[in-house]
PDB file of all heavy atoms in Angstrom:
ATOM      1  N   ALA B1014     -20.796 -15.403  -2.907  1.00 98.00           N
ATOM      2  CA  ALA B1014     -20.693 -16.255  -1.725  1.00 98.00           C
ATOM      3  C   ALA B1014     -21.096 -15.456  -0.490  1.00 98.00           C
ATOM      4  O   ALA B1014     -21.139 -14.224  -0.519  1.00 98.00           O
ATOM      5  CB  ALA B1014     -19.260 -16.760  -1.572  1.00 98.00           C
ATOM      6  N   ASP B1015     -21.393 -16.146   0.612  1.00 97.00           N
ATOM      7  CA  ASP B1015     -21.699 -15.432   1.846  1.00 97.00           C
ATOM      8  C   ASP B1015     -20.492 -15.338   2.772  1.00 97.00           C
ATOM      9  O   ASP B1015     -20.568 -14.790   3.873  1.00 97.00           O
ATOM     10  CB  ASP B1015     -22.927 -16.019   2.561  1.00 97.00           C
ATOM     11  CG  ASP B1015     -22.898 -17.535   2.648  1.00 97.00           C
ATOM     12  OD1 ASP B1015     -21.784 -18.108   2.534  1.00 97.00           O
ATOM     13  OD2 ASP B1015     -23.966 -18.142   2.829  1.00 97.00           O
ATOM     14  N   GLY B1016     -19.351 -15.863   2.311  1.00 98.00           N
ATOM     15  CA  GLY B1016     -18.101 -15.697   3.045  1.00 98.00           C
ATOM     16  C   GLY B1016     -16.937 -15.618   2.074  1.00 98.00           C
ATOM     17  O   GLY B1016     -17.001 -16.183   0.979  1.00 98.00           O
ATOM     18  N   ALA B1017     -15.880 -14.896   2.464  1.00 98.00           N
ATOM     19  CA  ALA B1017     -14.716 -14.740   1.584  1.00 98.00           C
ATOM     20  C   ALA B1017     -13.463 -14.659   2.441  1.00 98.00           C
ATOM     21  O   ALA B1017     -13.404 -13.862   3.381  1.00 98.00           O
ATOM     22  CB  ALA B1017     -14.856 -13.475   0.741  1.00 98.00           C
ATOM     23  N   VAL B1018     -12.468 -15.483   2.114  1.00 97.00           N
ATOM     24  CA  VAL B1018     -11.189 -15.428   2.819  1.00 97.00           C
ATOM     25  C   VAL B1018     -10.213 -14.609   1.990  1.00 97.00           C
ATOM     26  O   VAL B1018      -9.955 -14.929   0.827  1.00 97.00           O
ATOM     27  CB  VAL B1018     -10.611 -16.842   3.053  1.00 97.00           C
ATOM     28  CG1 VAL B1018      -9.267 -16.748   3.787  1.00 97.00           C
ATOM     29  CG2 VAL B1018     -11.596 -17.692   3.844  1.00 97.00           C
ATOM     30  N   VAL B1019      -9.699 -13.546   2.591  1.00 96.00           N
ATOM     31  CA  VAL B1019      -8.735 -12.682   1.894  1.00 96.00           C
ATOM     32  C   VAL B1019      -7.538 -12.429   2.804  1.00 96.00           C
ATOM     33  O   VAL B1019      -7.641 -12.510   4.036  1.00 96.00           O
ATOM     34  CB  VAL B1019      -9.377 -11.332   1.470  1.00 96.00           C
ATOM     35  CG1 VAL B1019     -10.331 -11.537   0.298  1.00 96.00           C
ATOM     36  CG2 VAL B1019     -10.096 -10.664   2.636  1.00 96.00           C
ATOM     37  N   ILE B1020      -6.405 -12.137   2.175  1.00 95.00           N
ATOM     38  CA  ILE B1020      -5.188 -11.833   2.932  1.00 95.00           C
ATOM     39  C   ILE B1020      -4.565 -10.552   2.385  1.00 95.00           C
ATOM     40  O   ILE B1020      -5.033 -10.009   1.386  1.00 95.00           O
ATOM     41  CB  ILE B1020      -4.159 -12.990   2.859  1.00 95.00           C
ATOM     42  CG1 ILE B1020      -3.674 -13.201   1.421  1.00 95.00           C
ATOM     43  CG2 ILE B1020      -4.737 -14.265   3.433  1.00 95.00           C
ATOM     44  CD1 ILE B1020      -2.472 -14.147   1.314  1.00 95.00           C
ATOM     45  N   GLY B1021      -3.539 -10.089   3.059  1.00 91.00           N
ATOM     46  CA  GLY B1021      -2.746  -8.973   2.542  1.00 91.00           C
ATOM     47  C   GLY B1021      -3.495  -7.655   2.534  1.00 91.00           C
ATOM     48  O   GLY B1021      -4.336  -7.387   3.400  1.00 91.00           O
ATOM     49  N   ASP B1022      -3.172  -6.822   1.537  1.00 90.00           N
ATOM     50  CA  ASP B1022      -3.731  -5.474   1.470  1.00 90.00           C
ATOM     51  C   ASP B1022      -5.254  -5.476   1.442  1.00 90.00           C
ATOM     52  O   ASP B1022      -5.894  -4.635   2.078  1.00 90.00           O
ATOM     53  CB  ASP B1022      -3.227  -4.751   0.213  1.00 90.00           C
ATOM     54  CG  ASP B1022      -1.804  -4.231   0.394  1.00 90.00           C
ATOM     55  OD1 ASP B1022      -1.140  -4.654   1.354  1.00 90.00           O
ATOM     56  OD2 ASP B1022      -1.377  -3.407  -0.426  1.00 90.00           O
ATOM     57  N   VAL B1023      -5.835  -6.413   0.693  1.00 93.00           N
ATOM     58  CA  VAL B1023      -7.301  -6.483   0.587  1.00 93.00           C
ATOM     59  C   VAL B1023      -7.906  -6.730   1.968  1.00 93.00           C
ATOM     60  O   VAL B1023      -8.893  -6.088   2.363  1.00 93.00           O
ATOM     61  CB  VAL B1023      -7.705  -7.614  -0.395  1.00 93.00           C
ATOM     62  CG1 VAL B1023      -9.213  -7.836  -0.374  1.00 93.00           C
ATOM     63  CG2 VAL B1023      -7.210  -7.303  -1.801  1.00 93.00           C
ATOM     64  N   ALA B1024      -7.282  -7.640   2.703  1.00 95.00           N
ATOM     65  CA  ALA B1024      -7.783  -7.984   4.037  1.00 95.00           C
ATOM     66  C   ALA B1024      -7.588  -6.826   5.015  1.00 95.00           C
ATOM     67  O   ALA B1024      -8.473  -6.521   5.826  1.00 95.00           O
ATOM     68  CB  ALA B1024      -7.067  -9.238   4.549  1.00 95.00           C
ATOM     69  N   LEU B1025      -6.437  -6.194   4.924  1.00 95.00           N
ATOM     70  CA  LEU B1025      -6.138  -5.092   5.843  1.00 95.00           C
ATOM     71  C   LEU B1025      -7.097  -3.923   5.601  1.00 95.00           C
ATOM     72  O   LEU B1025      -7.563  -3.272   6.545  1.00 95.00           O
ATOM     73  CB  LEU B1025      -4.684  -4.659   5.632  1.00 95.00           C
ATOM     74  CG  LEU B1025      -4.053  -3.728   6.652  1.00 95.00           C
ATOM     75  CD1 LEU B1025      -4.138  -4.285   8.062  1.00 95.00           C
ATOM     76  CD2 LEU B1025      -2.583  -3.464   6.282  1.00 95.00           C
ATOM     77  N   LYS B1026      -7.407  -3.682   4.339  1.00 94.00           N
ATOM     78  CA  LYS B1026      -8.360  -2.623   3.995  1.00 94.00           C
ATOM     79  C   LYS B1026      -9.739  -2.966   4.566  1.00 94.00           C
ATOM     80  O   LYS B1026     -10.405  -2.106   5.162  1.00 94.00           O
ATOM     81  CB  LYS B1026      -8.411  -2.479   2.469  1.00 94.00           C
ATOM     82  CG  LYS B1026      -9.321  -1.387   1.955  1.00 94.00           C
ATOM     83  CD  LYS B1026      -8.943  -1.033   0.507  1.00 94.00           C
ATOM     84  CE  LYS B1026      -9.898   0.007  -0.074  1.00 94.00           C
ATOM     85  NZ  LYS B1026     -11.262  -0.547  -0.300  1.00 94.00           N
TER      86      LYS B1026
END
Side-chain angles (χ1 to χ4, degrees):
Chain B
D1015 46 21
V1018 180
V1019 287
I1020 64 169
D1022 282 14
V1023 172
L1025 192 55
K1026 182 161 176 291

